[in-house]
Amino acid sequence: MTERLDKILSRQLNITRARAKEVLRSGRVAVNDVTQQDGSTKCGDADAISVDGKLITVARYVYIMMNKPAGVISASDGKGEKTVVDLVPDNMQRRGLFPAGRLDRDTTGFVLITDDGEFAHNILSPVHHIPKTYIATLDKPVDDGMIADFEGGMTLNGRVLLEAGLEPVSHDGTVARVVLRQGLYHQVKRMFAKHGATVLQLHRTAMGGLELDDGLLPGECRYITADEIGQITKKFDSI
Ligand code: URA
């Protein structure tokens, strides 16, 4: 696929199309080592585009994995409050970034930030059955009744939920792995609350088959590779 050079510059440098034209006119842009001033020039993946001698990426969309810290909101516009998009460093910023799905302010862990609306829709839609894995720390141990209710498809406020996974991972049963294939408001907290348990901490560890990179400190992020995108979306028939 090819695109106009001014459009690519505007997106990759997070500048307006008019500003991109100015940058082009000033002779700072080269395509395959030849100075290019015409914004209508068509460029594709195979072209090396540089500004002031520095190569820029041409990828149409980006996919970023962030280890969300507590205290920031999962939105692109926090109306004055700090968002996960604000935490993306300047050299990875671009227009149209948003988090694919919401974690509560106090929930930590894997947030996927992208500018690809169709991809975000696909991984969030319950019809695609892409599991999201959480580690929940509770004020009381998981019991067999909870496990049966999670796994059987519990009824919450009159709504029958999709089957979910629940498995204690600590000796005393107060830390548990939860696997959901849908993302209702405060879903994990509400599922435990139905059983009289309070979630003290919630951390998302995986989306589909892709685990949160344990090298990312809270607030840090990195690009997700094309191969890893495949790990998120590979088919899950059971959980
Ligand atoms: N369920 C919750 O209760 N909170 C989250 O942030 C995610 C899932």
Side-chain angles (χ1 to χ4, degrees):
M1 193 189 87
T2 59
E3 271 184 294
R4 287 176 59 106
L5 181 56
D6 52 5
K7 192 168 169 203
I8 294 172
L9 290 173
S10 150
R11 182 178 68 239
Q12 303 305 126
L13 302 177
N14 202 13
I15 56 179
T16 62
R17 195 76 82 84
R19 176 75 190 124
K21 289 200 167 85
E22 277 171 30
V23 174
L24 280 158
R25 271 199 300 274
S26 64
R28 296 165 58 194
V29 179
V31 178
N32 305 324
D33 289 331
V34 177
T35 301
Q36 184 54 261
Q37 293 188 300
D38 181 0
S40 69
T41 307
K42 296 281 191 181
C43 296
D45 288 351
D47 293 310
I49 302 171
S50 60
V51 180
D52 298 332
K54 250 177 74 182
L55 280 176
I56 62 167
T57 96
V58 189
R60 174 70 190 86
Y61 296 117
V62 292
Y63 308 90
I64 295 169
M65 170 193 287
M66 175 175 285
N67 182 4
K68 176 189 175 297
V72 298
I73 58 173
S74 297
S76 39
D77 179 4
K79 303 192 167 59
E81 291 192 71
K82 205 176 205 60
T83 72
V84 287
V85 175
D86 294 332
L87 295 182
V88 174
D90 284 350
N91 62 349
M92 293 171 78
Q93 281 289 352
R94 56 199 249 157
R95 207 188 300 260
L97 287 180
F98 65 92
R102 282 170 188 264
L103 290 182
D104 297 336
R105 183 196 298 267
D106 57 351
T107 301
T108 57
F110 193 164
V111 173
L112 194 152
I113 298 171
T114 183
D115 51 357
D116 183 347
E118 193 180 337
F119 175 79
H121 173 79
N122 283 340
I123 62 164
L124 298 176
S125 162
V127 299
H128 290 103
H129 291 193
I130 290 184
K132 319 286 182 307
T133 306
Y134 299 85
I135 296 293
T137 306
L138 307 167
D139 67 343
K140 68 179 223 186
V142 166
D143 59 38
D144 290 346
M146 286 183 201
I147 295 176
D149 203 19
F150 273 59
E151 292 184 350
M154 79 164 60
T155 303
L156 200 60
N157 302 120
R159 176 171 182 169
V160 181
L161 304 186
L162 294 176
E163 292 163 21
L166 176 59
E167 178 195 8
V169 293
S170 67
H171 279 305
D172 67 357
T174 60
V175 183
R177 179 179 300 114
V178 180
V179 183
L180 299 185
R181 288 180 291 142
Q182 61 193 144
L184 305 179
Y185 183 65
H186 292 334
Q187 185 169 341
V188 173
K189 292 172 185 166
R190 287 166 55 222
M191 289 170 88
F192 281 113
K194 180 184 170 194
H195 289 270
T198 301
V199 175
L200 304 175
Q201 273 179 16
L202 191 59
H203 183 72
R204 185 155 67 191
T205 58
M207 296 183 79
L210 182 61
E211 303 265 338
L212 176 65
D213 185 335
D214 60 13
L216 291 176
L217 296 172
E220 287 185 348
C221 60
R222 69 156 172 85
Y223 289 114
I224 295 173
T225 65
D227 188 48
E228 289 175 329
I229 290 289
Q231 292 176 34
I232 297 177
T233 54
K234 77 174 179 226
K235 283 282 169 221
F236 291 90
D237 296 325
S238 59
I239 51 173

